[in-house]
Amino acid sequence: MTDGATDPAAAGSEAVADLLRRRGEQIAQRWADLPFFQTVFTVTRDEAVEAGHAVVDSLSAVAESGRVDDLEAVGFQPIREQLVAMTASRASSGLSTAQVDREVGALREAALELLEADTSRLGAEEVGEARVQLLTLFATLRVLVVDTMLQENQEIVLRQRQQLLEMATPVIKLWDRLVAVPLIGMLDSARSQVVMENLLEAIVEHKATIAILDITGVSTVDSLVAHHLMKTVASARLMGAECVISGIRPAIAQTIVQLGLDLGPVTTRASLADALEWALERRERKELPTRGNP
């Protein structure tokens, strides 16, 4: 095995690290005029140059370590957060992952041009190996940027999905201490969990004693949906609120019977209006003794 002094790959990495250190200012200046930097740092050009310096320094550290093909190389760590911000900015402008990848690919040209201009400092073999290492380094940078962008996009999708779930399961205050959750569409495990959490929070916030779960807009009710509804009703009771399920249409009632589901402990009503009438009557009965007291 050859040692680090005679290893062509190691020599090439050292040459790349030296190039990036010596020509860092020139590279950063060129990068500041490219879309990947220019359209993100729009206040002053100096900001783009400074960001370019940070990336060049990190790449130099990676090259110096000899781990130009390693995404976990220490040198990449300082610029991960910056790359997240920059790729997020480009994505928010409507660019696809492929377009951002092409913008990052354009960054290597400045370094390659300067490497070719440095041939007088290096032998032909060293130039060839340095070129390979430089191309590998920028290929790894592109992978890092795309990976960072995909992770950020995934987090955005998850946040948006959570927001949509919360928007699709609003809790409405109908009356003093009376809240309702109108459910529309499919009801799966994730959404059922959001329904339960939102309802329990509303019970605490409004000091509700009665809650209505209206499933008029739920297309189908199977054993899983019924199980989630039962859990929600039980949780509301533990919080001190009575729960009534409304919107039991004939087709859903037949499905529940055919599935052999027992909703016996749960108060049900055919429509939201019936449930509201039941809730108001319930309130009246609770308040009558109080009104009769002197």
Side-chain angles (χ1 to χ4, degrees), residues 37-81:
F37 285 86
Q38 188 181 50
T39 54
V40 173
F41 301 97
T42 57
V43 179
T44 66
R45 188 175 183 278
D46 289 342
E47 288 182 331
V49 173
E50 185 179 349
H53 271 300
V55 176
V56 171
D57 291 343
S58 293
L59 294 179
S60 175
V62 174
E64 192 169 10
S65 72
R67 298 165 59 188
V68 295
D69 59 350
D70 185 0
L71 290 173
E72 301 302 321
V74 176
F76 282 129
Q77 301 306 318
I79 59 171
R80 280 185 181 271
E81 290 186 10

Side-chain angles (χ1 to χ4, degrees), residues 9-210:
S13 294
E14 290 175 7
V16 170
D18 178 63
L19 171 73
L20 295 175
R21 283 194 298 267
R22 289 185 298 101
R23 301 296 190 105
E25 176 64 27
Q26 290 172 276
I27 295 173
Q29 289 289 343
R30 294 190 184 189
W31 283 358
D33 296 322
L34 294 178
F36 190 67
F37 285 86
Q38 188 181 50
T39 54
V40 173
F41 301 97
T42 57
V43 179
T44 66
R45 188 175 183 278
D46 289 342
E47 288 182 331
V49 173
E50 185 179 349
H53 271 300
V55 176
V56 171
D57 291 343
S58 293
L59 294 179
S60 175
V62 174
E64 192 169 10
S65 72
R67 298 165 59 188
V68 295
D69 59 350
D70 185 0
L71 290 173
E72 301 302 321
V74 176
F76 282 129
Q77 301 306 318
I79 59 171
R80 280 185 181 271
E81 290 186 10
Q82 185 178 57
L83 289 175
V84 168
M86 293 172 70
T87 54
S89 175
R90 300 305 287 132
S92 65
S93 301
L95 267 69
S96 66
T97 303
Q99 289 171 312
V100 173
D101 178 51
R102 285 195 292 272
E103 287 189 354
V104 176
L107 302 181
R108 73 181 179 185
E109 300 307 319
L112 278 173
E113 289 176 9
L114 293 175
L115 176 64
E116 298 298 339
D118 258 17
T119 53
S120 59
R121 299 174 58 92
L122 303 170
E125 183 178 350
E126 289 178 308
V127 170
E129 189 57 46
R131 182 182 178 86
V132 170
Q133 295 299 310
L134 185 64
L135 290 173
T136 303
L137 176 62
F138 276 90
T140 306
L141 177 66
R142 291 174 71 172
V143 172
L144 178 65
V145 170
V146 171
D147 180 65
T148 300
M149 189 173 182
L150 290 175
Q151 289 183 19
E152 180 66 16
N153 288 344
Q154 184 177 19
E155 291 177 4
I156 291 173
V157 169
L158 290 174
R159 288 197 298 269
Q160 290 176 338
R161 184 172 185 269
Q162 182 66 24
Q163 290 170 356
L164 287 173
L165 283 174
E166 292 175 355
M167 290 172 61
T169 54
V171 181
I172 303 170
K173 181 181 178 182
L174 298 178
W175 210 273
D176 183 39
R177 299 185 179 233
L178 171 59
V179 296
V181 184
L183 299 176
I184 301 174
M186 296 297 294
L187 194 61
D188 57 14
S189 298
R191 191 177 176 204
S192 298
Q193 184 64 33
V194 173
V195 170
M196 184 184 299
E197 291 174 358
N198 288 356
L199 177 60
L200 297 182
E201 288 176 3
I203 288 173
V204 174
E205 180 182 354
H206 301 296
K207 299 179 180 178
T209 56
I210 299 177

